[in-house]
Amino acid sequence: MKRAHNFSAGPATLPTSVLETAQNEILNYKGSGVSIMEMSHRGPHYTEIDQQARERLTRLLGLGDDFEIFFLQGGATTQFMQVPFNFLREDETADYVNTGAWSQKAIKEAKRFGNVHVSYSSEDSHFDHVPSQDQMKFDPSSRYVHFTSNNTIFGTQFKKEPETNGIPLVCDASSDFLSRPIDVQKYGLIYAGAQKNLGPSGVTVVIVRKDFLQTNKGDELPSILNYKSHVGKILNTPPTYPIYLMNLVLGWIEEKGGLKYFEQFNDDKASKLYGTIDKDDFYKSTVQESSRSLMNVTFRLPSEDLEKKFLEEAKEHDLVALKGHRSVGGIRASIYNNCPMASVNALTDFMEQFRNQNG
Ligand SMILES: *Cc1c(COP(=O)(O)O)cnc(C)c1O
């Protein structure tokens, strides 16, 4: 069966082999006679899936015993609220690095709970870059420093974690989680909605360092929103089918060679695409070169008419979901882990052809 070259920013493309496994198992999961979505989340089949997903994440990220893993609902957007609800008291301050629309939303929610110190903002240059280390100024008394590792809408990405002098890092890693190795020891908390790099929508992975978790507000919080309520148990019915699919994707990531493999693979894909953009002035990257994302490649054409034509003709070549976010315009190709090289090659071939005919 033919599949399109899918550059969707999210929910994003999934490995065909994973979807085929899901297809094969959908009516009768491992001889149980029922689908995984029709059985108890406390029974042996689902318990095994939950365990396996945790083990795979632990291995992939090299997590020690000092971290907890939660599979929660409500998307990254809920984490914008849940993080400060847990950790930020009224008279306290948290640092936020403002690098785009998602950071802004996180800041807005944090302000409901305490003080926000904006360590840096790239808003004045339409979020076309992320700051260098020395551009960020942290309040030394901050509870945590929040940053968005990859800015899905604007196409920028931190090359490495900010150095915070011991202030716990909190990261919205929704759009580059497991796309490369990270130094987990630097983090107090990492969250990622699954639908970019990890699986379908419906589950959010939250990883918290135990000593940071100990500092949350505890029992004064509503149970479902208190991270501590989720330690060591499944508190309520989780999104079992999304977690099942995520577990298949995690298995696929391990099979391919883990985060080191994907770091190289993602770099190869992005280099190919940026190389095509940089060849002359027809295509123009919308971001500063040192901040370019390996996940979301954003660019413009000489006119909006040409952009429209580009999108129409791309579709005829089975290249879909290339329209830029409405706040940026232009073109955005999202090339997460699950996007194959063949799709990037098809896109760059098309871009060359389109430039020859319209440049
Ligand atoms: C997509 C995205 C979000 C929003 O995720 P939801 O699951 O829709 O809440 C937040 N942050 C980043 C970086 C994203 O890419």
Side-chain angles (χ1 to χ4, degrees):
M1 193 184 293
K2 190 158 143 251
R3 294 198 5 109
H5 297 295
N6 181 1
F7 299 95
S8 172
T13 188
L14 290 166
T16 302
S17 64
V18 162
L19 295 177
E20 283 168 348
T21 302
Q23 183 178 40
N24 289 332
E25 292 179 338
I26 197 162
L27 293 179
N28 181 348
Y29 183 75
K30 297 199 170 161
S32 64
V34 300
S35 165
I36 196 73
M37 57 184 126
E38 301 170 303
M39 60 173 70
S40 170
H41 56 290
R42 308 212 183 266
H45 283 301
Y46 184 75
T47 300
E48 188 185 12
I49 287 167
D50 178 81
Q51 281 306 318
Q52 198 169 44
R54 289 169 196 279
E55 284 161 18
R56 283 173 168 163
L57 275 171
T58 300
R59 278 196 300 269
L60 282 166
L61 287 164
L63 299 175
D65 285 346
D66 43 349
F67 286 91
E68 300 283 357
I69 300 172
F70 308 126
F71 301 144
L72 305 181
Q73 302 193 55
T77 303
T78 296
Q79 295 308 305
F80 295 162
M81 163 274 284
Q82 196 170 352
V83 167
F85 199 7
N86 272 257
F87 293 104
L88 188 59
R89 290 163 182 88
E90 231 179 287
D91 55 348
E92 292 176 334
T93 299
D95 258 90
Y96 278 73
V97 188
N98 181 14
T99 53
W102 298 120
S103 310
Q104 286 177 312
K105 288 184 186 189
I107 289 169
K108 185 175 168 207
E109 296 305 306
K111 282 182 174 166
R112 300 180 197 278
F113 298 95
N115 306 312
V116 169
H117 176 251
V118 176
S119 340
Y120 182 82
S121 173
S122 52
E123 189 170 7
D124 287 348
S125 58
H126 206 57
F127 297 119
D128 71 348
H129 66 285
V130 294
S132 61
Q133 180 63 39
D134 52 1
Q135 287 176 312
M136 289 175 284
K137 300 281 175 268
F138 305 121
D139 180 333
S141 70
S142 260
R143 284 287 284 135
Y144 57 83
V145 173
H146 179 284
F147 78 115
T148 313
S149 51
N150 182 75
N151 297 282
T152 325
I153 292 173
F154 293 94
T156 64
Q157 186 177 26
F158 281 84
K159 297 289 165 236
K160 57 180 197 304
E161 296 88 0
E163 287 295 340
T164 58
N165 268 323
I167 309 171
L169 261 186
V170 172
C171 180
D172 176 0
S174 292
S175 54
D176 68 355
F177 190 60
L178 303 187
S179 72
R180 58 182 177 184
I182 55 167
D183 185 354
V184 286
Q185 289 309 327
K186 292 191 169 146
Y187 293 85
L189 189 149
I190 308 169
Y191 62 91
Q195 70 270 22
K196 282 31 181 280
N197 232 357
L198 213 51
S201 60
V203 58
T204 308
V205 173
V206 179
I207 295 170
V208 195
R209 213 175 59 216
K210 286 178 182 169
D211 59 358
F212 184 54
L213 181 56
Q214 282 320 311
T215 70
N216 89 340
K217 294 179 201 167
D219 286 342
E220 70 184 83
L221 297 161
S223 312
I224 189 77
L225 293 178
N226 181 355
Y227 293 116
K228 277 183 187 150
S229 318
H230 299 270
V231 173
K233 62 173 171 294
I234 296 180
L235 182 69
N236 70 327
T237 318
T240 53
Y241 202 69
I243 292 169
Y244 156 76
L245 279 168
M246 176 178 75
N247 182 46
L248 293 180
V249 174
L250 292 171
W252 176 82
I253 293 174
E254 280 200 313
E255 230 169 74
K256 287 277 179 186
L259 304 193
K260 278 236 168 351
Y261 168 86
F262 279 97
E263 181 174 45
Q264 184 64 53
F265 179 55
N266 290 324
D267 193 59
D268 289 347
K269 285 185 290 180
S271 300
K272 179 98 201 270
L273 204 36
Y274 285 116
T276 305
I277 291 167
D278 289 342
K279 229 178 213 174
D280 60 28
D281 284 343
F282 186 73
Y283 299 111
K284 270 202 170 63
S285 167
T286 60
V287 302
Q288 293 182 20
E289 199 170 333
S290 58
S291 296
R292 286 175 169 182
S293 168
L294 303 189
M295 301 278 99
N296 309 96
V297 179
T298 52
F299 57 97
R300 305 293 313 238
L301 273 69
S303 72
E304 287 189 7
D305 283 345
L306 276 174
E307 285 168 352
K308 208 168 150 234
K309 190 170 176 216
F310 179 94
L311 290 169
E312 279 162 10
E313 289 184 20
K315 209 172 257 168
E316 289 163 19
H317 286 76
D318 284 324
L319 302 158
V320 304
L322 284 164
K323 196 172 177 1
H325 190 271
R326 58 191 184 279
S327 63
V328 181
I331 313 296
R332 171 175 56 173
S334 298
I335 51 171
Y336 306 119
N337 281 3
N338 308 332
C339 173
M341 193 56 155
S343 291
V344 173
N345 288 335
L347 174 59
T348 51
D349 287 350
F350 169 73
M351 287 168 70
E352 297 284 5
Q353 181 192 322
F354 192 86
R355 169 163 44 200
N356 289 339
Q357 285 165 359
N358 299 279

